[in-house]
């Protein structure tokens, strides 16, 4: 069984120079706004009963009856760490992965009992079939269309058979993209992609992941677009 070791200070490192431009832009942008983002959104699950219910459903799917050891779950795009904290409170072994070293530092400070490390969903540095589940809430929104297949193939690779994936992303009547050059009064460079549930479900199936459920929530408060949530699973061997 793969044992995830708590990352040390040397794990906080920049992305490789040959990483895709969108990965480097995401790291630089979230480093620039990390403190403001964490202060403004310390826990976006507060006041979001549907999201909390979906995480509870995810936990129930992760737990395999009779399994002697529970593989860890990864919160990919963990930001300030509140999703990982929620999963921990629900009884799962969990660690967070985020592209931004500054965001990782803030998550470690806010949730010292949990593990967070710097990494990219485009290149998961994990052995095959070592994760009991993946949560990626509002993190695939910065991944260009042409890179989604390889991201989901990476998810499939690191999941144990039968393990679930929970995705959350902005949606709409059709797919689209917007570029943001400023946030919290700071200069950034981020592309945001919104997609229909059908588009993302198709990419999941192509990667070998089976769709379990889809949920669409209307925009609330200051949100400008509906929120889509997809639960999928890596198929288990026949008879399991």
């Amino acid at each position: 069984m793969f044992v995830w070791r708590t990352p040390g200070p040397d794990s906080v490192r920049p992305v490789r120079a040959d990483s895709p431009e969108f990965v480097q832009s995401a790291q630089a942008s979230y480093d620039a706004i990390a403190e403001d983002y964490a202060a403004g959104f310390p826990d976006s699950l507060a006041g979001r009963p549907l999201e909390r219910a979906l995480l509870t459903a995810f936990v129930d799917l992760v737990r395999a009856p009779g399994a002697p050891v529970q593989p860890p779950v990864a919160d990919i795009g963990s930001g300030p760490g509140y999703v990982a904290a929620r999963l921990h409170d629900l009884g799962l072994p969990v660690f967070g992965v985020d592209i931004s070293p500054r965001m990782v530092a803030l998550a470690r400070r806010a949730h010292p009992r949990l593990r967070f490390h710097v990494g990219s969903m485009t290149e998961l540095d994990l052995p095959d079939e070592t994760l009991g589940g993946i949560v990626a809430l509002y993190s695939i929104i910065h991944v260009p269309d042409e890179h989604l297949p390889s991201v989901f193939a990476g998810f499939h690779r690191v999941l144990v058979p039968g393990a679930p994936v929970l995705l959350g992303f902005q949606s709409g009547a059709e797919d689209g993209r917007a570029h943001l050059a400023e946030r919290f009064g700071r200069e950034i460079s981020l592309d945001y992609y919104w997609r229909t549930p059908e588009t993302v479900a198709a990419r999941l199936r192509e990667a070998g992941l089976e769709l379990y459920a889809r949920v669409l929530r209307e925009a609330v408060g200051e949100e400008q677009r509906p929120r889509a949530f997809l639960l999928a699973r890596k198929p288990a061997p026949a008879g399991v």
Side-chain angles (χ1 to χ4, degrees), residues 41-190:
F41 304 100
D43 184 357
S44 290
L45 295 173
R48 296 287 187 268
L50 179 61
E51 282 85 335
R52 296 198 303 272
L54 287 169
L55 285 174
T56 300
F58 171 83
V59 169
D60 287 344
L61 290 173
V62 166
R63 290 183 174 134
V69 178
Q70 172 63 64
V73 165
D75 174 18
I76 298 182
S78 49
Y82 54 82
V83 172
R86 177 75 175 179
L87 293 171
H88 177 270
D89 290 344
L90 290 171
L92 289 186
V94 58
F95 62 91
V97 180
D98 200 274
I99 193 66
S100 164
R102 290 187 181 179
M103 199 72 84
V104 165
L106 291 171
R108 289 175 177 173
R109 186 187 310 164
H111 307 284
R113 59 184 176 169
L114 302 181
R115 298 167 292 162
F116 298 91
H117 84 113
V118 179
S120 171
M121 69 173 67
T122 62
E123 192 175 353
L124 291 175
D125 187 18
L126 294 167
D128 295 355
E129 298 191 356
T130 51
L131 290 185
I134 289 174
V135 172
L137 296 185
Y138 308 111
S139 49
I140 67 167
I141 62 174
H142 301 305
V143 179
D145 294 340
E146 63 269 23
H147 289 271
L148 269 186
S150 62
V151 166
F152 290 160
F155 287 4
H156 183 278
R157 178 184 67 80
V158 300
L159 288 170
V160 299
V165 177
L166 174 61
L167 302 177
F169 51 95
Q170 286 88 344
S171 191
E174 57 185 17
D175 299 348
R177 183 183 75 172
H179 181 77
L180 199 62
E182 179 273 334
R183 195 173 185 192
F184 300 108
R186 301 182 185 274
E187 183 177 344
I188 62 171
S189 180
L190 277 177

